[in-house]
Amino acid sequence: MKRAPVIAFVFLVSLLLCPSLRAEDPPVSDRTSDGHTIVGRTMVVIPFENTSPTPGLEWLGESFPETFHEQLNSPVLYVASRDERLRAYDRQGVPAGVHPSRATLYRLAEQMDVDYAVLGSYEYDGARLTANAQLLDMRAEKLSPAVTESGPLADLGTLQSALAWDLLRLIRPDFSVPKDKYIASVAPQRLGALENNVRGTLATSAEEKVKYYREATRLDPAYAQAWLELGKTYYAQRAYELAIAALGQVQQSSLINSGLIMSGAVAREANFYLGLAAYARGDLAKSESAFQFVAARLPLAEVYNNLGVVAARRGQKKAAEYFQQAIQNDPSDPDYHFNMGVTLSQTGDRAGAAREMRTALDHRPNDAEAKMMLDSLTPPAAGGIVPSSATSKVPAERIKRNYEEDSFRQMTTQMGSWAEQQFARSDPRSHARFHVELGKELLAHGFTTDAEAEFHHAAAVDPSSTAPFTALAEDYDARGDAREARAQAEAALRIRESTEAYLILARLDLRENRMEAAAQNINRALQLEPGNPAGQNLKRTLAAKLAEKAQPLPQP
């Protein structure tokens, strides 16, 4: 919603004349009336301005939005992507490489309808890098005093993490994670790897992007974001084998790493493009597995659609179910109705297929393929001539190549109940998993109270799931509450046997030097899942501890 021009003018004058206006503490309520669904805030980070004469450091300006997007983007704070920011620049006629004036920045933030905009600058004196950031509160129309961090250029990652913490405390005064703990929890990127990743982002040709992203992954083989961008670039070039190899480097086994960087979002996007690349290569099993990975964690219409396309290619009856889920999530997309129509026609439901084709044409009247398909499904009037299209080949289902997690996250951040409504239509297992993963993301960002509420909600949604209890057990264990951690793990085991619960108990037993109990829990976990890496590691740890005491390893 646009504010009155006079208010905007007065505010702009106040910003220009008095840049040290202090933001009042914003409200901290992030939940709807149901007490479970997150309703958060939105932010755009403007590339920082280089105020030093040192050449070759221009790339640093873009590194701040990239790093803050990774660290701050959470279920309670949506940070706009670079693409969204560039679209706003384009609408305002601002070239991408130009640092806008403060007045233009206000108009950009207003146009994007965000709650906050982050403005900043940096200076390098040859020994230390100093960065300043200010938070512009668009709702309260206040600009915070600058927060400043300084350090060696080689410690850029640490400096940016410290600045991210400063901004979090301005937005969430209740954010309780100590600064040193927050910084320590973020796995820092090597300076060279970060530079190459940012330069790849800024590159205008696919060849340059590949060069920079490959160098970033060479310098840091665990750089998930760089692997993702490299895989997407290969996919855009139709180098599907290379895309599959690059995207496969993004770890699928862990949605959230040991730090605060949102590898969960990276893993989801990587699997979406992995599914597309595998589909293009004809590896339908790999494609289905990748799309399932995403669908189990976010109710994205395009993912359900693609699962339906893959299922249809494999001759599976569940294709129609997937297309129906896509239609429920986004009934205005004509491709979902088109795909449903194709599937229904192949099962002999000509009336249903015709209905879906008409709906597709209502949304896209110039769809010649849908029109031809509808003609083939519509019986001719008495004595009429059968349309030539009636004997045409049934068209192929349409796959979606647009990944819209950013749009989904923005919608769920601003309208938290919408996500709950989407999952309310799904099975309890998927619904509960959504809240467990949401809780893990909140926990990884330090929002402990919010995370625990999500775990409890997941348990209520699906009483047969052990995941909420093991997640709570991990949470309590990380906070040093061994008693409550043990209680939650045992609660999970009362539902059914769980590898994760046994391993949590085993870790607690090892810490308390209860070797026999630890051995029993490790063995129970490995009986359920013999190849579990964490279980194997715990078994080796136990053996090493017993060796120190010259004790034999307890037998199962």
Side-chain angles (χ1 to χ4, degrees), residues 16-196:
L16 294 170
L17 296 180
C18 186
S20 62
L21 288 173
R22 182 176 182 82
E24 297 178 2
D25 290 343
V28 297
S29 175
D30 291 309
R31 297 189 169 273
T32 57
S33 57
D34 65 5
H36 301 296
T37 305
I38 295 299
V39 179
R41 304 177 181 92
T42 56
M43 168 193 285
V44 61
V45 183
I46 306 298
F48 281 27
E49 184 178 9
N50 183 9
T51 59
S52 64
T54 307
L57 295 181
E58 292 75 15
W59 67 271
L60 283 172
E62 189 69 38
S63 75
F64 285 91
E66 291 294 304
T67 299
F68 290 166
H69 185 272
E70 291 180 356
Q71 291 193 25
L72 299 179
N73 199 19
S74 77
V76 297
L77 180 63
Y78 176 81
V79 182
S81 67
R82 182 173 185 268
D83 287 343
E84 291 171 297
R85 171 165 47 85
L86 291 180
R87 286 194 292 270
Y89 273 42
D90 186 60
R91 287 191 293 269
Q92 289 288 329
V94 179
V98 173
H99 190 80
S101 67
R102 183 169 289 178
T104 302
L105 291 177
Y106 175 81
R107 290 197 300 271
L108 286 167
E110 185 183 43
Q111 182 189 79
M112 296 178 73
D113 195 29
V114 294
D115 297 302
Y116 305 108
V118 176
L119 326 177
S121 63
Y122 61 94
E123 183 176 7
Y124 183 61
D125 62 6
R128 295 182 69 81
L129 177 72
T130 301
N132 303 291
Q134 288 181 280
L135 186 72
L136 172 57
D137 187 330
M138 295 295 293
R139 309 307 176 196
E141 297 187 344
K142 298 287 184 179
L143 185 66
S144 76
V147 290
T148 302
E149 298 292 343
S150 181
L153 180 59
D155 293 338
L156 174 64
T158 299
L159 181 151
Q160 290 179 331
S161 295
L163 210 55
W165 185 90
D166 295 335
L167 292 170
L168 266 179
R169 286 300 301 269
L170 289 174
I171 295 169
R172 290 279 302 240
D174 64 330
F175 185 69
S176 59
V177 177
K179 190 172 188 176
D180 57 347
K181 184 177 180 181
Y182 179 94
I183 294 171
S185 69
V186 180
Q189 299 295 347
R190 293 181 57 181
L191 183 64
L194 178 59
E195 177 181 354
N196 276 278

Side-chain angles (χ1 to χ4, degrees), residues 220-364:
D220 184 357
Y223 200 164
Q225 184 67 43
W227 281 116
L228 168 62
E229 297 302 332
L230 179 60
K232 288 167 62 176
T233 305
Y234 280 139
Y235 176 76
Q237 293 180 300
R238 300 187 180 183
Y240 300 127
E241 288 289 353
L242 293 173
I244 290 170
L247 296 166
Q249 294 293 324
V250 179
Q251 291 294 323
Q252 298 187 21
S253 60
S254 175
L255 282 180
I256 299 296
N257 64 10
S258 59
L260 294 174
I261 292 177
M262 287 189 62
S263 61
V266 175
R268 290 189 292 269
E269 187 172 2
N271 273 273
F272 181 82
Y273 284 99
L274 178 60
L276 288 178
Y279 175 81
R281 286 289 300 162
D283 189 343
L284 298 181
K286 182 184 286 290
S287 179
E288 180 181 36
S289 176
F291 288 136
Q292 284 282 14
F293 179 91
V294 186
R297 292 159 176 83
L298 280 180
L300 299 175
E302 63 266 28
V303 179
Y304 288 135
N305 176 79
N306 291 357
L307 278 168
V309 173
V310 173
R313 291 288 186 278
R314 304 184 78 183
Q316 298 173 342
K317 295 181 179 179
K318 58 184 177 181
E321 297 177 16
Y322 287 131
F323 291 140
Q324 186 58 44
Q325 285 180 292
I327 290 170
Q328 286 179 343
N329 284 12
D330 186 0
S332 66
D333 192 305
D335 289 337
Y336 303 150
H337 293 283
F338 179 89
N339 289 347
M340 176 64 87
V342 171
T343 295
L344 291 177
S345 72
Q346 292 174 335
T347 61
D349 185 357
R350 295 173 62 86
R355 181 182 62 251
E356 294 296 334
M357 288 300 166
R358 290 191 190 95
T359 304
L361 286 165
D362 286 341
H363 293 291
R364 188 185 293 151

Side-chain angles (χ1 to χ4, degrees), residues 206-226:
E207 292 73 18
E208 282 187 302
K209 287 181 178 293
V210 167
K211 179 185 73 173
Y212 286 123
Y213 291 140
R214 287 184 65 178
E215 180 63 9
T217 57
R218 185 190 69 80
L219 293 171
D220 184 357
Y223 200 164
Q225 184 67 43

